[in-house]
Each structure stands twice: as C-alpha cells, then as structure tokens.
Amino acid sequence: MQTAEIRRRWLEFFERNGHTVVPSASLVSNDPSLMFTVAGMVPFIPYLTAREPAPYPRATSVQKCLRTLDIEEVGKTSRHGTFFQMNGNFSFGDYFKEGAIGFAWELLTSSVEAGGYGLDPEKLWVTVYLDDDESAGLWKRLAGLPEERIQRRDKKDNYWHTGQPGPGGPCSEIYYDRGPAYGREGGPIADEDRYIEIWNLVFMQEMLGEVRSKVDFDVLGDLPAKNIDTGMGLERLACVLQGVDNMYEIDEVRPVLDRAAQLSGRRYGAVHADDVRLRVVADHVRSALMLIGDGITPSNEGPGYVLRRLIRRAVRAMRLLGVEDPCLPQLLPVSRDVMKLSYPELAAEFARISSVAYAEEEAFRRTLVQGTQIFDSTVRELKASGGSALSGERAFALHDTYGFPIDLTLEMASEAGVGVDEDGFRRLMAEQRDRAKADARAKRSGGVDVTVFRDALAKHGPTDWLAYTHLRTESRVLGLVSGGEGVAAAGPGEIVHAILDRTPFYAESGGQNADAGHLVWDGGRAEVLDVQRPVKSLVVHQVRVLDGELAVDTAVDAAVDAEWRLGACQAHSGTHVVHAALRDVLGPSALQSGSYNRPGYLRLDFSWTQALTPEQRADVERVSNEAVRNDLPVSARYMTLPQAQEFGALALFGETYGEQVRVVEVGGPWSRELCGGTHVAHSSQIGPLVLSGESSVGASVRRVEAIVGLEGYQYLARERDLVRQLADVLKTPREDVVGRVEAMVARLRDVEREIAKLRAGQVLAASSSLASSARDVFGVAYVGHDAGDASADDVRTLVLDVRGRMPADRPAVVAVTGVAKERPVVVIATNEEARRWGVKAGELVRAAAKVLGGGGGGKDDVAQGGGQDATKVPEALAAVEHAVGQRVTGAA
C-alpha cells in the first residue's frame, strides 16, 4: 500500500467517525519554544492544554514534521530521519480511552476492502502504563488481546507530559511483530527492533505540578476535561505495509536513493559506508523539498540554516560517492514525483522550489573550492607551528564563515594527519544555537515572559479586536504588566503593557507594523508605542504614560493615529499590487517569501534567481501604477483554508493559518491572497508607487522596495530637484543631463588611464637600477623595494619586470610593496633557479603579510598579499629577506 494511500485512508476513516480534518500546519512552528513542528500534536497544544477553547470536539490530521537533533545519525540507523509525517486523532474533552482504543483497533485490523489497513491481529502487541488497569481491560474487551500481548511499562516509556507543569497522563503504544528474522521473542519489552512501534495513544487525564524530569513530577489531581492525543508514524506504518526494513526503502524515499545509486555507480546494500551516504541523500533531498515547499530559503540562521545544512550534507554525500557534477537537478524531481501524490502543491510550485535548491547547490560547490583552499592553508600553518589538532575555533570558523561541514573538516583532517578539537567545535555550535533560539523567542514574544499574558487570557478571554472596522473605541483596562508581572498602575514616564477589553489598534503581524496612537482617560494620556499578540487571541499594547496615572479598570478612549493607519493601508495594499505586478512581468514562480510594511514604505522578498533588468523594473513599476490608476476594488472575505486554495488565493509561505482565513482581493482574481492586514478600499487610494530599490537577500531570493502615497510623491519631488540642481551646475538642459554626465565620466576615465600610464612608467623606470642593486643573501640575489603610493597592479608589473632583468643562472627574489587606499600590498616573485633552491614566493609573501597584519598566497613563482598597517612596510621587507636566508641556510 502506497504511503499516499495510507494517508488518505487515515483521514477518511476519522472523518467518517466525526473528526474535523485539519490541514497540516507549516513545518516552521508557531510555538516560540520550537523552531520546527516536531510532532503531530504541536499545532493542537493550545487546545490540549486548555489555553484556548478548541474549535471542534474531535480532529484528525497528517502533520508534516521535522527533527534535526540527531542529524549526524541519519543514515546510520533505521530509526533516524529528519522529515516525517505524523498521523493523529485528537479529542478535546470528547471521547477518551475506550474511543481511542476502539478507533485504533478498527482501523488497523479492518480489511483493506473495508477501508482499513488489514493488519493481522495476531501480530499486534500493546504496552500500557504500570497501573493503568482500565486500558489493559479495554484492550482485552475491545480487541480481544490476550494478557501476554499486553505488557506493562513504567513512566520512562508509557507516561506523557510536556516537561512543564500542565496536563499529562499514561499512554498505550501499539507494536507490530515483524517476525523472528528481526530479533528475539518476548514482545516490545524484549526487542523493539522486531516489535516496531506504530501508534501511541496518549490519555491526558492528570494535572501535573512541578516537573523535575521525565519520571519525577508531582500529580496535583485529575483534569476537569480529559483529552486524547494520538500519533502514528506514517513512514513506520508504510514500512510494515510495504514489507521493507526501514523508512529509506518506502515508496516516498527509495526512488531518490535508487537514483543517487545509479548516478554514483554504487549498489545499495553492498558497502555500509555507501549505504549510509545514499540514505543521507534520500532523506535530506526529501526534507529540503518539503522545507522549500513551505517557503523556507537557505540562510545562516534559523530554519534557513537547517535547510542550507541539509542541502549541503546531501551534496557532500554525493561527492563522497564520486559524483562531482550537480546532483539536485537529477534527484529533486524524483522526490517531487513521489511526494506530489500527498502534496500536489509541490508540483505546482516546483519551478520556485527547484530554483532555490539548485542555486544553493551551486553556491556550495563554490564554497567547497574556497573552503578547501582555506583548510589546506590552515593545516600548513598548524604543522609549521608544531601543532597536531585544529582548534575548535578554526573548525567553527570554517563551518560558520565558509559553510564547510564539520564532517568534511574531520575527514580531511584525518587525511592530512591532524586532529580536530571536536569538543570545542560542539561547544561553539551549542552557543550559537542557544543564541539563535533566544533571539527567536525574544522576537516572537517581545522579550517578555508570556506566562502573565496566558493567565490574562484565561481570566478575561480574547480581546475584542476591531482594527478592521474602527479607529477609535471606548475601552477598559483589564490589566497592566511591567517586567513580566502584573501591576496596579503606572505613572508619567513609565512604559507598561496594557491589556484592553477591546481595541481598534492593529497588532504587528504579516509584515505590517503595529498602529500608532494614544489612550486618553479622565486626567491622563498615554502614547501607544507598539501592539503585539504575545499569545493567540490576546492583543497587548506597549504604552508610555504621558500624563496622569493609568490604572487597572480605567475607562479609556483608544484612538489610532488616522494618518498612520492610512499610510499603513497604502503600503500593505501596495505590497499586494507589487506582488501581482511581479508575477505579471516575471511569471507565476515569482512568489512572495516575506514582506514588511510601514506608512509610506514597503519591501517585498520574492523567489527569483537573478537581478531584475532595468526593463523588468520599469515594467513592474508600470503595471503597479496602472493598477493604481484603474481604481481596482479592494475587498476581503472569510472562508475555510481549503476553500481559499480552491479559490486560487496565494498563501505566504511559512505562515500558519487557522481553519478560517481572510482572503484579500485587489481587482478580483488579479491579486488574491491570504492576508490579515489592513487595506485601502480602492487601489487609487495607494497613490504614487515608486520602486526605490532591488537587491539580493540570499540564494534565489530578491527584494524590491517601494515608496507609496504622499511619501512616493515626495520621493519623486526630491528626484526632480536633484535633476534640476545637476542641470544648473552643468549649465545644460535637464533632458541633456545624462549625456553631459556620461561625456564627463568618459573624459575622466581617459585622464585616469593617462595618469596610470605615467605612474606605471615612473615605477618601471626604477627597474634597471633595482635589478643592478640586488643584495646578496647567502647566494640569492634579493631585491626589496618600497614603491610608495602604488597600486597592486603597478607593484606586480614592477616585480615581474625586475625579475626579468635578473641573471637567469643565479637564484633571485624580488619583493616590492606599495600602498593603495591606505592599505599596504606586497608582491614577491622568484626565478627558476631560486625555486630549485627551495625558495617559494607563496611562503615568503605569508611572512610579509603576517607583519603587515593580513594574509596572502599564490604560486611558487609569484605571490601577492596585503595587510592593514602601512607603517610596517620596512619590517615586512626585512622579514622577507630573513625568510630567504632561513630557507637557503636551513636555519630554524
């Protein structure tokens, strides 16, 4: 049975049994404590923990998940992978143990013809918590399982909690016996390789207090409403139903592995090291496909860093298998073709997905060349200094600065006969991860402990949010928070977070800045500095008290700055217009991957692999302003996410959407996007739209910036004034300014070339005298010369000319320095006889560059370096002369 069919049967079974089918959330988690969605229950945590009321009593999903903690173990065992899918069914205070166990047994053992999975009941075992007699009894009564196939396990294996105070409860796991070929008899407690876990049923029934460890916690009592959270590993069940040994051999993964084996000429199953690499490739290519499909692009932090690492590990594994040519164009389409059965959007978006992946592979191929050169230089320096191991700092720099994988560093170090301080490297990596997680948490929560806001939501309920319809509301202060704790009041100058019962203020989201405005009350006034949603459904205002005292329960007039809101609406609607214009001009693969809007300004990041031409920029600006001139209607409507997808609405990749979504249209189908921002009523209200910039922000991602509204007019006015001033200075009509400037620049270049020729002539004039004044250094003719203010090209020309004038039958070394733009440069050349004596230009230039506070390198005959301190030029030339003597005499 194909994996896509297993998925379909799961959703249909639970839908028939009264469950709401919930689409998979993004791989990027909406939980500030998580980078990725690591389990099927993550999107349901607010409902399972009662932080938010569940919108349905029963739900089911097939959730995309990603775990990277054990990425180094991928391929080495059958248990470790990165991307996986988790089938789940959930009950929020509805059915409990009997329902969960009944559903699980029915689906697993019903015949294929009846819509089930058709597993042999005799091969199924279960585990229950030590004293969970109720579950054991249900397995006997509902499934007819004998006592010997119901095994008891302790808290370590069969009790679930989040690791924090909150809900917890025993769980019951279902195992499938793969037979004696996979291990010994005795059930899961004897051998979990033979008895493979396929489904875990969690019975949330207790409230936990202090949680000290997985097995050490306080139980405060029973939960008022009991919940069900189950998780079935889709890939694990596919292994069972497809009769394969591990997840790398199922139908959604094996084709990529087979194609990698074909490209490399290796046979899967022949050599363990090759098998590991082929599994890494198959796993990482699929994971990269899914991440890019969710809108992630490679970067040096957060989810983008993980994506970059996955792609580079896959490419590196292929190189170790002997494939030097680009491999992703051969592998990614294979993964698309097997995954599109479950995720059709992968095929529809493949042009964008592949452009991102292929660009990253090409960038890494260049990195490998550069990183190898740096690694070789580092090893040479290490050996020259008598060291035996690369420091953790050096290994981390190779990894962090040049993208060099640590496994590659380790392998090359072993080949070079040196070690690596892995502990130091891991420590630095851990510190970087901790900083990244802290930054992510701070960005998502505003650096404030959200516990107090969760308590406020539980006490007062959701904020009545009226930003779409109101600019002013009569509101009441429900709470004030300062330093993460509730306070009763705040005086002039104090900055606090205010929770209101209702608000017209837009909370920052979807790339749109929060509203500005004021809170006014009898005897006081506060400025609204920021508006956020630290927890879902609760709007919090950061305010600075200007006059009077703001106290809890105060009635306030909450007023948005109308000009600010208008500018924000113009910018956000302008973003939709620019996005549609980009797709008109460049094609449907130019999809938005991020945005930022504030009054008068917008920027939009989109998938594209190269800079826009001047013609393309002009076309995007023209199409955008035509849309403004045409006064297109702007409207918003609500619908379910599946309805919106059928409607053709574009979703911002990486965003998390609920069941009900808001679709914003500009001109009907011309621009139709999921969006929670504020907008103008007609496109003409956007005003002038001027593209002010276009740049790269990463592999396969470009950014356009634009000015809109009154700010757009002012931008054009400044441009007009600049042209007028230039025309006045040049004493030429405005329409002739460009031609006049071009002529001046051409004349200036001619003069600069003439000056360069004169300077080069002056430099070369010294060649003859320098060659004839060479010093004898233990038999080597040595020329050391400071050329003063001379460019690197002039210095190189002089060095080669002097070397050409030296006798060919005597070893000769020429070293010349110059200073260009206040930075010193040194070029060194040796003749053939000097190289026969063992004197190499590359070694000498490093000695000079070290004195100058820089670096350098090159070939044995000519090398170049530079530095930071021009005052050290005499010392650098002396260092070269000393190094020549050392090399010739063999002195240490």
Side-chain angles (χ1 to χ4, degrees), residues 28-93:
V28 179
S29 175
N30 206 30
D31 187 326
S33 66
L34 298 171
M35 180 180 294
F36 294 111
T37 302
V38 296
M41 51 81 69
V42 168
F44 300 99
I45 286 176
Y47 313 144
L48 293 169
T49 58
R51 292 206 309 263
E52 298 175 23
Y56 24 65
R58 304 179 177 191
T60 186
S61 68
V62 178
Q63 175 61 46
K64 298 177 291 187
C65 303
L66 194 83
R67 294 179 186 171
T68 58
L69 288 177
D70 297 321
I71 193 171
E72 303 290 348
E73 299 304 313
V74 171
K76 297 177 183 177
T77 74
S78 61
R79 294 177 179 272
H80 292 95
T82 51
F83 174 81
F84 63 98
Q85 300 157 89
M86 187 62 71
N87 297 354
N89 60 287
F90 307 89
S91 165
F92 310 108

Side-chain angles (χ1 to χ4, degrees), residues 530-839:
D530 192 16
V531 188
Q532 298 288 335
R533 283 192 180 90
V535 295
K536 190 177 180 181
S537 302
L538 187 75
V539 177
V540 176
H541 312 71
Q542 185 186 54
V543 303
R544 178 191 289 114
V545 179
L546 303 176
D547 304 299
E549 182 181 75
L550 180 62
V552 173
D553 208 35
T554 299
V556 299
D557 179 21
V560 175
D561 183 322
E563 286 297 316
W564 179 281
R565 170 68 71 80
L566 173 60
C569 289
Q570 289 174 318
H572 206 149
S573 296
T575 300
H576 286 226
V577 166
V578 171
H579 187 201
L582 282 166
R583 291 167 58 79
D584 267 4
V585 173
L586 303 178
S589 62
L591 277 174
Q592 178 180 340
S593 58
S595 67
Y596 171 73
N597 313 286
R598 57 174 167 77
Y601 169 84
L602 68 91
R603 72 170 185 242
L604 184 149
D605 298 342
F606 63 102
S607 302
W608 201 247
T609 57
Q610 55 195 358
L612 301 188
T613 65
E615 293 76 18
Q616 288 172 329
R617 284 187 57 168
D619 285 345
V620 170
E621 191 173 61
R622 174 184 55 78
V623 171
S624 297
N625 281 285
E626 285 176 353
V628 172
R629 183 192 63 189
N630 291 336
D631 195 29
L632 302 175
V634 181
S635 61
R637 67 177 84 178
Y638 289 89
M639 58 188 72
T640 66
L641 182 58
Q643 287 172 335
Q645 291 169 333
E646 276 190 44
F647 193 49
L650 297 175
L652 178 59
F653 291 102
E655 285 291 312
T656 300
Y657 298 101
E659 272 294 285
Q660 286 286 314
V661 295
R662 183 170 179 256
V663 177
V664 173
E665 293 181 293
V666 181
W670 184 69
S671 170
R672 188 174 279 161
E673 300 186 29
L674 271 58
C675 179
T678 61
H679 291 273
V680 297
H682 288 82
S683 62
S684 60
Q685 295 172 320
I686 295 171
L689 192 155
V690 185
L691 290 191
S692 57
E694 192 267 340
S695 60
S696 170
V697 290
S700 303
V701 180
R702 306 293 299 181
R703 170 174 292 171
V704 291
E705 298 175 273
I707 312 297
V708 298
L710 181 60
E711 288 80 358
Y713 164 76
Q714 292 170 340
Y715 180 90
L716 292 174
R718 288 193 297 272
E719 296 280 298
R720 177 195 62 199
D721 290 343
L722 179 61
V723 173
R724 178 184 57 76
Q725 293 171 32
L726 284 171
D728 291 345
V729 169
L730 298 173
K731 294 182 172 50
T732 190
R734 294 185 188 183
E735 59 270 20
D736 295 336
V737 165
V738 173
R740 182 69 185 277
V741 171
E742 286 177 341
M744 292 177 65
V745 170
R747 287 199 300 273
L748 180 60
R749 286 174 179 164
D750 289 341
V751 171
E752 287 177 341
R753 280 194 290 267
E754 192 62 33
I755 292 173
K757 288 180 182 178
L758 292 172
R759 187 171 61 239
Q762 290 175 337
V763 170
L764 289 175
S767 294
S768 181
S769 61
L770 287 174
S772 61
S773 63
R775 294 163 52 84
D776 182 81
V777 180
F778 297 102
V780 175
Y782 172 71
V783 173
H785 176 65
D786 178 7
D789 293 332
S791 69
D793 288 342
D794 290 343
V795 170
R796 191 179 187 88
T797 300
L798 177 60
V799 166
L800 296 178
D801 192 66
V802 172
R803 184 183 65 175
R805 297 171 184 267
M806 305 285 281
D809 58 351
R810 182 185 177 191
V813 174
V814 182
V816 177
T817 61
V819 177
K821 298 180 180 178
E822 299 183 355
R823 299 189 65 173
V825 62
V826 57
V827 179
I828 299 175
T830 60
N831 67 2
E832 186 174 347
E833 188 66 15
R835 295 192 294 277
R836 194 174 66 81
W837 282 37
V839 181

Side-chain angles (χ1 to χ4, degrees), residues 499-515:
I499 302 169
L500 308 180
D501 60 345
R502 67 180 60 88
T503 181
F505 283 89
Y506 184 83
E508 179 182 358
S509 65
Q512 180 176 331
N513 256 15
D515 280 333

